[in-house]
Each structure stands twice: as structure tokens, then as C-alpha cells.
Amino acid sequence: GSMLYLQTLLSIQVILAGMLIVGYRTKVASVGSWILYLSLTLRNTWLNFILDRYFHYLLFYSMFLPLAGTWAIDAAKRNNNNKANNKSSKTF
């Protein structure tokens, strides 16, 4: 591919990694990260190390784990919505 296409894909991968770090939309970020990381490492087979295989496993299983449980922006949003719903139900 062209250099602009590769830069775009790597930029998306960096954004998705940042989303995973802070816990924002973790399901979308984990699926996208796994797909882009898999495509990157399968395209560059000469640069693969054993650690890449473990990253594949970690990203794959992160799609099914509750990453947005506690220490995530998603959890904070959910808690704020629950508090707002509890306050509104108590006033009526």
C-alpha cells in the first residue's frame, strides 16, 4: 500500500490503543486493536517474535473480558447514569 494508507492504519491503531488504556469503548477498541495488530504482524513476518503471539492472545481474549468493569471511563459513565437515575426515581 501507499505510505499515506499505512500511516492512516497505524494512526488508527495508536488511537485504539489509547482508548484501551483509558477504558473508553473497550469492546470496540479491543476488536479494532486485535484486527489491526494481527494484520500488522502477519504482513511483516520477518519481524515477528514470540511476544507477538502473546499479544495476539491477550488482545483476542480482551474482546470477551469485562474490561469496562471498574477502572475505565465506561464504568465512570455508567456510575454517573445510575446515580442520576436513582436521584430522579427518589424524587417522584
Side-chain angles (χ1 to χ4, degrees), residues 6-90:
L6 295 176
Q7 288 174 343
T8 303
L9 286 179
L10 285 174
S11 299
I12 292 170
Q13 191 171 6
V14 167
I15 290 169
L16 290 172
M19 288 170 61
L20 269 177
I21 289 171
V22 298
Y24 179 72
R25 301 204 183 250
T26 53
K27 291 291 181 189
V28 174
S30 62
V31 170
S33 292
W34 179 68
I35 290 170
L36 288 175
Y37 188 74
L38 186 67
S39 70
L40 178 70
T41 55
L42 289 179
R43 191 168 185 93
N44 299 320
T45 56
W46 287 100
L47 298 176
N48 280 346
F49 298 103
I50 191 67
L51 193 59
D52 291 325
R53 181 176 296 179
Y54 295 121
F55 285 149
H56 287 293
Y57 295 153
L58 287 172
L59 286 172
F60 179 77
Y61 287 123
S62 71
M63 292 187 286
F64 306 107
L65 294 173
L67 297 179
T70 306
W71 299 101
I73 292 175
D74 293 338
K77 284 183 181 180
R78 190 172 43 248
N79 287 339
N80 287 339
N81 288 338
N82 288 342
K83 288 178 184 177
N85 289 339
N86 288 342
K87 287 180 183 178
S88 64
S89 65
K90 288 180 182 178

